[in-house]
């Protein structure tokens, strides 16, 4: 079959984006109700959203914030990260997972990924621990939770704070323990491509009361009325104190209303994403030139991303060609992610290729395929057809050569 990139018919008639929000009429009503209410911020909708997030994550304390990046910044501040400290970070992630360390004036140290799960490797973390290490930012890549038991053991041994960047993994669990209750402090993002959206939004989640107090403080200007924190406890009801240099990282009630409504649909979102992943895994297992993320307990995972590694050497084709060919088939491919330390800002800090070989090998071969609740079974079949078509074309050309 002629590839669309060479003038053939595309595998999918309509363009299938890699991610897309799913907004129901009920979601819309929730936002409109908020707009008609007395509070657009700091009101009951934010409290209700935080309460619902406590339910889903099993955590004792939740502070909803402006976005996932703010959540990471607050988590690092709450963990006491300061200049001179080192924080071990996953390299295959969005830049924000490392930037939050830089916001605190500290140094991100990149540990390599596991070549099967594509999550940060506990063995590599061990190699990177120094006497300056204070915390680990572990990213649940694609929604698959990190090896929390092993990371917990390393944190206990060296006295580190376990920060889980769960921007991808809301709704996932391990051994029945939901994301949000696996680490010391967990951050969420509600960007529209994530499983649950508020437009822009995020949350800091913890069951540690001290971390929770600090998170709440830093997210709200460093200002508090919390009697337990006030230095002068002998003042009237108007009184507040600023105890630290915090930020205005509040979420609005408009966003929180959408979030609470979306959260009610999380079981539906999780089930559909699981179904699509199972379908992809089954089909792609039949194509030896591609490999997918290994997840030991997919029934506990709510996947955010579906990425494939192409054996470009066996196919005799570059990742760039495969990417362009799939795009021409109307498949909204993407690449998640360039190793963070190869971004020019981090190269300027002295990072170089060669630092995390598994991460680089992953990046050099990876293509992200569409995964979201707006995909029909037929759409998913078209995605599989497009991959099979491109692989077949490469094989045939190899035979001709
Ligand atoms: C999306 C994302 C973030 C940042 O979230 P925003 O809400 O866009 O600020 C952080 N980490 C990871 C892994 C993400 O995918």
């Amino acid at each position: 079959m002629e590839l669309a990139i060479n003038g053939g018919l595309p595998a999918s008639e309509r363009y299938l984006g890699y991610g897309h929000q799913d907004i129901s009429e009920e979601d819309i009503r929730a936002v409109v109700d908020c707009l008609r209410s007395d509070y657009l911020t700091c009101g009951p909708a934010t409290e209700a959203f935080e309460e619902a997030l406590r339910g889903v994550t099993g955590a004792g304390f939740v502070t909803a914030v402006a976005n996932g990046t703010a959540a990471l910044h607050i988590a690092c501040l709450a963990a006491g990260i300061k200049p001179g400290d080192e924080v071990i970070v996953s390299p295959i992630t969005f830049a924000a997972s490392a930037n939050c360390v830089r916001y605190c004036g500290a140094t991100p140290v990149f540990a390599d990924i596991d070549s099967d799960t594509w999550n940060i490797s506990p063995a590599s973390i061990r190699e990177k621990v120094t006497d300056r290490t204070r915390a680990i930012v572990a990213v649940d890549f694609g929604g698959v939770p990190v090896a929390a038991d092993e990371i917990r053991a390393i944190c206990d041994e060296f006295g580190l704070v376990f920060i889980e960047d769960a921007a991808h993994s809301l709704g996932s669990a391990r051994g029945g323990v939901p994301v949000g209750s696996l680490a010391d402090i967990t951050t969420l993002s509600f960007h529209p491509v994530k499983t649950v959206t508020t437009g822009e939004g995020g949350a800091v989640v913890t069951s540690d009361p001290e971390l929770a107090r600090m998170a709440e403080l830093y997210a709200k200007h460093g200002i508090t009325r919390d009697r337990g924190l006030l230095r002068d406890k002998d003042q009237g009801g108007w009184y507040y104190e600023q105890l630290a240099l915090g930020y205005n990282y509040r979420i609005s009630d408009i966003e929180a209303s959408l979030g609470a409504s979306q959260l009610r649909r999380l079981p539906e979102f999780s089930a559909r994403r699981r179904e699509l992943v199972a379908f992809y895994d089954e089909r792609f297992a039949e194509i030896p030139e591609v490999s997918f993320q290994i997840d030991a307990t997919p029934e506990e995972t709510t996947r955010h991303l579906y990425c494939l590694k192409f054996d470009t050497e066996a196919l005799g084709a570059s990742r760039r060609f495969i990417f362009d060919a799939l795009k021409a088939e109307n498949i909204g491919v993407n690449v998640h992610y360039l190793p963070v330390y190869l971004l020019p800002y981090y190269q300027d800090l002295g990072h170089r290729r060669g630092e995390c070989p598994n991460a680089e090998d992953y990046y050099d071969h990876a293509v992200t395929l569409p995964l979201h609740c707006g995909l029909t079974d037929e759409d998913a079949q078209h995605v599989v057809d497009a991959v099979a078509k491109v692989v077949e074309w490469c094989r045939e050309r190899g035979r001709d050569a």
Side-chain angles (χ1 to χ4, degrees):
M1 234 188 311
E2 184 92 73
L3 294 183
I5 199 173
N6 295 332
L9 276 181
S12 174
E13 231 167 86
R14 69 178 183 118
Y15 180 78
L16 307 174
Y18 87 91
H20 198 277
Q21 68 273 19
D22 183 324
I23 302 294
S24 67
E25 287 305 315
E26 207 180 325
D27 292 335
I28 293 168
R29 262 196 306 277
V31 173
V32 172
D33 286 349
C34 174
L35 288 171
R36 294 206 169 98
S37 77
D38 289 331
Y39 291 93
L40 299 186
T41 191
C42 304
T46 296
E47 276 174 35
F49 183 40
E50 290 175 341
E51 178 60 33
L53 282 169
R54 280 192 285 276
V56 170
T57 59
F61 308 94
V62 171
T63 299
V65 294
N67 53 64
T69 304
L72 282 161
H73 186 190
I74 290 306
C76 286
L77 288 169
I81 305 305
K82 54 185 191 318
D85 292 345
E86 291 177 1
V87 176
I88 297 176
V89 181
S90 303
I92 297 297
T93 184
F94 183 58
S97 314
N99 289 347
C100 58
V101 177
R102 296 292 303 142
Y103 295 157
C104 298
T107 304
V109 172
F110 297 92
D112 209 347
I113 61 165
D114 179 275
S115 49
D116 290 330
T117 66
W118 304 343
N119 270 327
I120 194 166
S121 147
S124 181
I125 292 175
R126 261 181 195 285
E127 287 170 12
K128 306 274 172 150
V129 173
T130 72
D131 54 10
R132 292 175 166 231
T133 310
R134 295 288 170 268
I136 298 170
V137 177
V139 180
D140 298 331
F141 179 75
V144 178
V146 290
D149 289 346
E150 289 168 77
I151 295 173
R152 158 69 50 218
I154 296 169
C155 288
D156 288 349
E157 186 177 336
F158 297 101
L160 314 177
V161 181
F162 180 4
I163 301 170
E164 187 174 357
D165 179 348
H168 296 182
S169 59
L170 180 62
S172 293
R174 273 304 174 263
V177 180
V179 159
S181 290
L182 294 168
D184 293 318
I185 188 160
T186 304
T187 65
L188 302 172
S189 164
F190 308 116
H191 180 279
V193 297
K194 310 288 162 70
T195 299
V196 160
T197 190
T198 59
E200 293 281 358
V204 184
V205 174
T206 182
S207 289
D208 179 316
E210 267 322 295
L211 288 174
R213 271 186 161 171
M214 288 304 118
E216 186 77 11
L217 188 69
Y218 280 112
K220 293 167 185 171
H221 305 278
I223 288 175
T224 188
R225 292 173 190 273
D226 180 341
R227 286 234 155 242
L229 289 177
L230 292 180
R231 287 193 195 161
D232 184 347
K233 297 180 198 300
D234 225 17
Q235 294 278 346
W238 66 87
Y239 185 73
Y240 61 78
E241 287 177 358
Q242 182 183 338
L243 298 171
L245 186 61
Y247 299 83
N248 177 1
Y249 278 164
R250 285 189 304 254
I251 194 169
S252 74
D253 273 41
I254 306 168
E255 294 160 315
S257 306
L258 177 56
S261 179
Q262 284 258 299
L263 265 190
R264 285 193 281 278
R265 304 176 60 210
L266 179 57
E268 164 202 334
F269 293 157
S270 295
R272 182 57 182 158
R273 284 172 178 271
R274 229 164 259 160
E275 221 168 61
L276 289 164
V277 169
F279 173 78
Y280 281 157
D281 280 0
E282 199 182 308
R283 294 302 185 283
F284 293 134
E286 292 167 9
I287 305 179
E289 294 92 340
V290 300
S291 48
F292 45 79
Q293 189 175 12
I294 300 301
D295 179 2
T297 53
E299 68 282 3
E300 284 196 299
T301 306
T302 298
R303 279 283 280 276
H304 160 54
L305 294 175
Y306 194 92
C307 308
L308 274 186
K309 249 183 100 177
F310 285 82
D311 188 341
T312 54
E313 290 79 8
L315 290 168
S318 66
R319 190 262 305 273
R320 185 169 183 162
F321 174 79
I322 293 166
F323 181 95
D324 290 345
L326 287 170
K327 196 124 205 172
E329 301 294 338
N330 265 339
I331 310 304
V333 285
N334 214 307
V335 174
H336 295 90
Y337 292 91
L338 190 91
V340 172
Y341 60 85
L342 293 180
L343 297 168
Y345 169 78
Y346 283 97
Q347 293 219 33
D348 288 349
L349 295 175
H351 296 277
R352 287 292 175 269
R353 223 179 151 85
E355 213 168 296
C356 296
N358 291 346
E360 291 169 20
D361 176 67
Y362 165 78
Y363 166 66
D364 289 340
H365 299 90
V367 176
T368 306
L369 299 178
L371 179 68
H372 57 85
C373 294
L375 295 178
T376 64
D377 292 353
E378 207 180 18
D379 292 332
Q381 183 62 53
H382 290 151
V383 173
V384 170
D385 291 344
V387 170
K389 187 177 166 187
V390 172
V391 165
E392 186 60 32
W393 186 88
C394 293
R395 283 182 192 154
E396 301 252 316
R397 195 190 47 166
R399 221 171 290 141
D400 294 346

